[in-house]
Amino acid sequence: SQQQEESTPTPTPSFDPKQIKIVNGNVVRQVPNAETKILVNKDDHKSTGITGFAKVIVSPDNLRFCFEAWPPAPAPALYISDIEGSEVTKIGENYKNCTWSSDGAKLAYINSAAQDKPANIFVYDIVSGKEKNVTLAKQTETVKKAYGIIGLSADSTKLLCNYTILNTVTTEEEKTEGTCEVDWKTLAITEEEI
């Protein structure tokens, strides 16, 4: 009787969001014991300059990732892509700090204004492709704020943020900083001075 040799197939490594990273300015997927695959090549995006991309974050549903080119890139910008890197969409220039909603349906970021310039929080809806400046109504002629993103609330229903009032000609006792929250569903923002 002849014994049949059974070939054991190599198991496909399971997806881990940590496998998606920046290497030499490119967005890659590094799977253990496999070849590193370039998902988004910096050379295909000349506006990133020689440094390429600086940050990548996979969405909670593992379907997409956002990635950013930062200065000294000639045109710093924020992009999203499907998880294979095949459908790249440029969200806009001078955006940074991309933060996903817990369902992966929305993406928040700030316009990376120069220091001492107003900065707003924007939310991009993945399905509609529409962007909303959620902090614009809080900016007035007399009060200009620079917003920052902290992260998600413990229950993931809100985006936690903070702000600094830039144009205060006030006494030392007056508050120039605060915290804020953006409701992911309604995109309403609430602020609290600290």
Side-chain angles (χ1 to χ4, degrees):
S1 74
Q2 208 173 2
Q3 208 167 3
Q4 217 171 353
E5 232 179 84
E6 283 189 46
S7 66
T8 53
T10 311
T12 307
S14 62
F15 179 80
D16 178 349
K18 291 185 194 79
Q19 294 169 352
I20 307 245
K21 51 184 78 168
I22 304 289
V23 175
N24 297 328
N26 299 309
V27 181
V28 304
R29 180 171 178 204
Q30 279 186 334
V31 179
N33 307 318
E35 200 176 316
T36 295
K37 180 183 176 199
I38 293 180
L39 302 177
V40 182
N41 192 321
K42 70 178 179 189
D43 294 342
D44 297 337
H45 300 272
K46 298 294 181 213
S47 62
T48 64
I50 57 167
T51 52
F53 300 106
K55 175 183 176 182
V56 62
I57 298 180
V58 175
S59 62
D61 57 11
N62 291 338
L63 295 177
R64 295 176 186 80
F65 54 84
C66 62
F67 54 110
E68 304 173 12
W70 295 342
L78 183 133
Y79 304 80
I80 59 170
S81 171
D82 67 331
I83 206 70
E84 297 300 321
S86 58
E87 291 178 31
V88 173
T89 303
K90 182 177 179 177
I91 302 295
E93 289 188 8
N94 295 314
Y95 288 153
K96 67 178 183 183
N97 294 3
C98 61
T99 305
W100 290 100
S101 61
S102 60
D103 61 1
K106 292 187 177 108
L107 183 66
Y109 43 88
I110 60 170
N111 57 322
S112 53
Q115 206 160 0
D116 300 331
K117 294 268 189 285
N120 285 297
I121 297 173
F122 294 81
V123 174
Y124 181 84
D125 185 290
I126 299 297
V127 176
S128 72
K130 290 193 178 7
E131 172 185 81
K132 180 177 181 180
N133 182 336
V134 297
T135 54
L136 185 62
K138 300 286 185 181
Q139 304 274 19
T140 66
E141 284 302 311
T142 53
V143 180
K144 299 285 183 213
K145 298 174 181 173
Y147 285 89
I149 293 175
I150 298 170
L152 295 182
S153 61
D155 64 1
S156 299
T157 62
K158 294 182 174 63
L159 176 74
L160 303 179
C161 50
N162 57 14
Y163 64 87
T164 304
I165 298 174
L166 300 172
N167 57 340
T168 48
V169 211
T170 56
T171 62
E172 286 297 308
E173 294 85 53
E174 289 195 60
K175 303 289 184 225
T176 58
E177 293 183 341
T179 59
C180 49
E181 293 179 345
V182 176
D183 185 297
W184 278 115
K185 277 196 174 41
T186 64
L187 300 186
I189 182 168
T190 52
E191 294 185 349
E192 197 176 295
E193 285 186 351
I194 53 171

